[in-house]
Amino acid sequence: MTTTAEETKETGAVVWTGEWVAQRLGVSLSGGPELSRLLGLALRRNPKRAHLLVSNVLGKHVPQRPVAVHGAGLGLGRRVRELLGDQDAARAVVLGYAETATGLGHSVADGLALAPYLHSTRRLVEGVAQAGGFEEEHSHATSHLLLPEDPSLLAGDGPLVLVDDEFSTGRTVLNTIKALHARFPRERYVVVALVDMRSEADRNHLDKFAADLGARVDLISLAAGGVQLPADVLERGQALVAAHLDTAPTEESGVSRTVAASAEGAASGGGPASGGAATRAGIAARAGAAASGSTAAAVGPTNRPLPERIDLGWPASVPDGGRHGFTPEHRALLEAALPGMAARVADRLAGARRVLVLGNEELMYAPLRLAGALDDATPAEVCFSTTTRSPVLAVDDPGYAIRTRLTFPAHDRPADGPGERYAYNVAPGTDPRRRFDAIVAVTDSHGDTPELHGPDGLLAQLTPHTDRLLLAVVPSYTPAYALPQTPEPAPQSTPDATQRQV
């Protein structure tokens, strides 16, 4: 079942997760009732845009059942195939946007079935030629790179299917089409999103743009509507953010206290030193559990779970995602391997009742499909979400879409330098029913660095909020002709690949 609203503990009433922002900021949505099922609202920590439309089926900010996340994109992709017909669908290329829509785009490609997939990326890969790039105007991080392994992937004249989580102004799509059409002109584009929230002026602008280009542009979405904003929305939004950063609650106690924005994630994780200390002190305990074959989670001196590394058995011929391209043949190989990978994880989660599979920024599709297979392999309730670089205010209220936030340093050596990253709605906050008793953190090998394992890293921030923490590392795919992209290796403590301490 798709989770679309919060039920209050006191009354049992269902509250729309955009109500808090709507009341305080004067923001309202127009459109059908499906919009409030698909979207909540939050406040951005971004001077360019005050509000954030928070999708309930994207698998980014809100933990959701994997069948709902994959199914949303799958259904949109099938509609694209019906629109194009099989002949043109086989000539198409699907392009998803980093970071939020990499998994959605991949799911759309699954529904289309016949076309290869590529997503934009903010990760520079030395030795791989750029096929293009574009800017996302309202984003906190704007540069998108296109790095297909096959230089001819975007050079054909078949339809280009562009996938993003939402349309607000449509400018990102225009920037993309303009940049790519200058190099690889084609007659048809299909734009796909979960929601289309453009104004009438923005719709007319896209129509004129397509006419001037001499190309056909079709749009497909799950729902359409609009956002009504007060004239002073930026000022009011910034004032609300500032006020709530000064009285941010800790994740463990829910007690308000003054917290600096840069330290809020560490405070909510129970203090950066504790996770690292527990990891170091528990090496012997974890090694003993591995030797005995026990499935009980080892704990450190603070009774927090010690992270356990698990070898998924990822198929060597399958890329970790669409950064350099992903074909229907890759999909078939992955789907054949998924049941075995899910079984390995399920064996380490005996007794778990509520499980979160947590992806990592652009790495959305692989953990999403793993979550779906795990949902089939275990009686536990399995949910899926992903970490992000997007800074959003957290308010622990049922009428607000981002209840809690964990903050940790980037661990994939990003091209734009070190910075904060976030995991939203993973900590339960003041509602113990939201707690996950097991978390499976999934990253690629490029992100398996000392920063991930450090005392203030993602793993240390997760341990206070779960009983069992697994780390699954998917091999980062790099084209064979590219220069090596090998980050500093993470420390290892035991030779057992399936159960060694991380």
Side-chain angles (χ1 to χ4, degrees), residues 108 256 292 418 441:
V108 168
S256 294
S292 67

Side-chain angles (χ1 to χ4, degrees), residues 19-64:
E19 190 68 28
W20 193 95
V21 173
Q23 290 180 351
R24 289 163 176 79
L25 201 59
V27 175
S28 62
L29 303 183
S30 61
E34 66 275 10
L35 279 178
S36 61
R37 293 194 295 267
L38 291 170
L39 296 173
L41 294 173
L43 295 178
R44 292 174 180 260
R45 291 163 56 195
N46 183 341
K48 298 180 182 180
R49 197 177 183 193
H51 70 287
L52 176 69
L53 300 176
V54 181
S55 173
N56 291 315
V57 294
L58 182 62
K60 177 56 72 170
H61 305 87
V62 179
Q64 180 57 275

Side-chain angles (χ1 to χ4, degrees), residues 3 34 40 57 68 70 80 86 115 119 132 141 143 164 191 213 218 263 275 277 298 319 346-347 374 381 480-481 502:
T3 302
E34 66 275 10
V57 294
H70 189 233
V80 174
D86 284 0
H119 69 70
S143 296
D164 207 354
V191 181
L213 205 66
D218 294 291
D347 286 345
L374 184 62
E381 175 190 348
Y481 58 80
V502 299

Side-chain angles (χ1 to χ4, degrees), residues 362-400:
E362 294 179 9
L363 185 70
M364 295 187 70
Y365 181 73
L368 169 60
R369 297 305 307 274
L370 178 65
L374 184 62
D375 204 22
D376 293 336
T378 176
E381 175 190 348
V382 178
C383 293
F384 167 74
S385 66
T386 324
T387 66
T388 177
R389 60 166 56 206
S390 177
V392 185
L393 178 72
V395 178
D396 197 357
D397 186 284
Y400 189 84

Side-chain angles (χ1 to χ4, degrees), residues 247-441:
T247 57
T250 67
E251 300 292 2
E252 293 188 320
S253 67
V255 177
S256 294
R257 64 184 181 90
T258 301
V259 181
S262 63
E264 186 176 352
S268 66
S274 57
T279 298
R280 291 190 298 272
I283 289 176
R286 185 70 202 105
S292 67
S294 171
T295 60
V299 296
T302 58
N303 288 324
R304 291 176 178 171
L306 300 175
E308 308 167 38
R309 183 183 295 265
I310 182 167
D311 183 358
L312 292 175
W314 185 266
S317 56
V318 177
D320 57 300
R323 181 176 290 110
H324 304 297
F326 198 97
T327 67
E329 292 74 24
H330 290 143
R331 181 185 310 115
L333 291 171
L334 174 60
E335 291 180 344
L338 279 171
M341 290 191 285
R344 290 182 178 89
V345 177
D347 286 345
R348 304 301 306 164
L349 297 177
R353 293 171 296 176
R354 196 161 187 262
V355 178
L356 175 67
V357 178
L358 182 66
N360 186 256
E361 295 193 46
E362 294 179 9
L363 185 70
M364 295 187 70
Y365 181 73
L368 169 60
R369 297 305 307 274
L370 178 65
L374 184 62
D375 204 22
D376 293 336
T378 176
E381 175 190 348
V382 178
C383 293
F384 167 74
S385 66
T386 324
T387 66
T388 177
R389 60 166 56 206
S390 177
V392 185
L393 178 72
V395 178
D396 197 357
D397 186 284
Y400 189 84
I402 304 295
R403 299 281 299 270
T404 64
R405 182 178 78 240
L406 300 177
T407 304
F408 54 94
H411 56 85
D412 61 348
R413 311 294 169 82
D416 56 352
E420 288 185 346
R421 299 295 184 264
Y422 312 95
Y424 295 113
N425 292 315
V426 173
T430 56
D431 186 353
R433 297 174 301 174
R434 297 164 51 87
R435 189 176 188 274
F436 295 101
D437 52 353
I439 296 176
V440 183

